[in-house]
Amino acid sequence: MDIPNPPEHIKNAFRRSLLEDDEWGLLASNRACQKFTDLRRYALAMEQLVDQAGQTEIKALSPEADALDENDRGEFWAWHYPVHWDQVVRGTFRASTITALISFVEISLSQICRDVRLITQEELRPRDLNGSAVEKSKKYLKRFGGFTVDQVIWKRIDGIVQIRNALVHANGDIDQYRNPRQIREIVSETQGLNETYGAISIDKSYLEHCLECVEDLMSSLSFEMKELCSRKKQFEERGNS
């Protein structure tokens, strides 16, 4: 997201506000941390709601099943067990949540880069760099903001991005994705991911992994942003003394 072109005095005033103690959540990195809390709450609450819905349906069917003899009871559950909560609802929810998480990461990174550009007064924009949206932001923050986010965090985020891309562009069908070998490697090496009939299958543990990775990234970016503001503020105060 590029910085608009307001009058210079407004831009300078906003820049000064960013450099000061951020009590009002002006920094995009702080707002991203707050937004992530809501996303995490949503994801975990939905997991619980799907569990409860499945249990409620089983409970409603149980009296009818209990009235049958053992052989008929087995056939009854074979026909009526509410598998749709796992096979349809839960899978669709997890895929859409991962998609939403990466969209959130991309937007947050863009906004944080905007703040870095304003604070450092750099003319180059993230879009002028090469790579994906996340890769451009990563390069920009390192080059112009001096960010030193752990490479392990970036690598984990990149893995989630690749899974998101396969879910969005190939509906999770690994062989339909442009790089099926890469996706299969990620799936085979990552807890909570499985290949089921050629498609990506997502367990709850992988969703929790994604939430943890995004939380680590947002926390690191918030810390680095505050450090950048502190360095710039001290540098300018020394220059004015």
Side-chain angles (χ1 to χ4, degrees):
M1 183 180 295
D2 295 332
I3 302 173
N5 293 311
E8 200 64 26
H9 71 280
I10 293 179
K11 186 187 295 186
N12 290 336
F14 183 66
R15 179 178 183 272
R16 176 51 51 186
S17 296
L18 292 179
L19 291 174
E20 299 296 334
D21 291 339
D22 187 42
E23 296 178 1
W24 302 278
L26 293 177
L27 289 173
S29 54
N30 286 7
R31 297 198 307 275
C33 288
Q34 294 167 3
K35 177 65 175 177
F36 171 77
T37 299
D38 294 334
L39 281 173
R40 186 176 187 276
R41 183 178 293 114
Y42 157 77
L44 297 179
M46 284 299 296
E47 284 285 344
Q48 292 179 348
L49 288 173
V50 173
D51 285 340
Q52 292 169 3
Q55 293 167 5
T56 298
E57 191 164 343
I58 291 171
K59 186 177 180 179
L61 291 168
S62 292
E64 186 176 354
D66 293 342
L68 302 172
D69 61 41
E70 186 173 349
N71 291 334
D72 290 341
R73 189 180 304 131
E75 184 176 355
F76 174 87
W77 283 120
W79 281 99
H80 297 287
Y81 191 87
V83 296
H84 49 275
W85 292 108
D86 280 327
Q87 296 180 357
V88 179
V89 178
R90 202 185 297 277
T92 302
F93 153 70
R94 289 173 182 166
S96 63
T97 300
I98 290 169
T99 300
L101 276 172
I102 294 304
S103 295
F104 162 74
V105 167
E106 291 173 342
I107 292 171
S108 297
L109 284 171
S110 175
Q111 293 172 340
I112 292 169
C113 285
R114 178 201 60 195
D115 283 357
V116 168
R117 182 168 176 260
L118 180 59
I119 289 169
T120 61
Q121 300 176 313
E122 171 58 46
E123 292 301 320
L124 192 70
R125 303 170 188 268
R127 69 184 183 188
D128 299 323
L129 304 175
N130 297 323
S132 65
V134 171
E135 187 64 24
K136 288 178 181 180
S137 295
K138 174 185 173 183
K139 291 177 181 178
Y140 193 88
L141 294 173
K142 181 178 180 180
R143 179 174 175 180
F144 298 111
F147 283 31
T148 59
V149 177
D150 193 329
Q151 289 302 308
V152 173
I153 295 177
W154 286 118
K155 183 177 179 180
R156 289 173 178 167
I157 293 295
D158 182 65
I160 301 170
V161 169
Q162 297 305 319
I163 294 297
R164 186 281 306 265
N165 289 344
L167 293 170
V168 170
H169 300 301
N171 198 30
D173 187 330
I174 297 176
D175 288 322
Q176 295 300 313
Y177 188 60
R178 66 175 182 268
N179 194 339
R181 180 177 178 180
Q182 179 188 41
I183 295 301
R184 281 198 167 91
E185 287 179 356
I186 295 174
V187 169
S188 65
E189 294 172 357
T190 307
Q191 182 181 355
L193 288 179
N194 297 285
E195 181 177 349
T196 305
Y197 301 114
I200 299 171
S201 176
I202 305 168
D203 292 340
K204 182 180 179 180
S205 60
Y206 183 69
L207 183 59
E208 292 172 340
H209 164 78
C210 293
L211 291 168
E212 181 180 347
C213 291
V214 173
E215 182 175 23
D216 288 344
L217 177 63
M218 292 300 116
S219 296
S220 296
L221 293 173
S222 179
F223 173 80
E224 296 282 359
M225 194 69 203
K226 290 173 183 176
E227 288 292 298
L228 172 62
C229 290
S230 178
R231 291 195 302 272
K232 273 290 179 181
K233 184 179 178 182
Q234 291 176 12
F235 176 78
E236 292 178 6
E237 287 175 346
R238 287 197 298 268
N240 294 328
S241 62

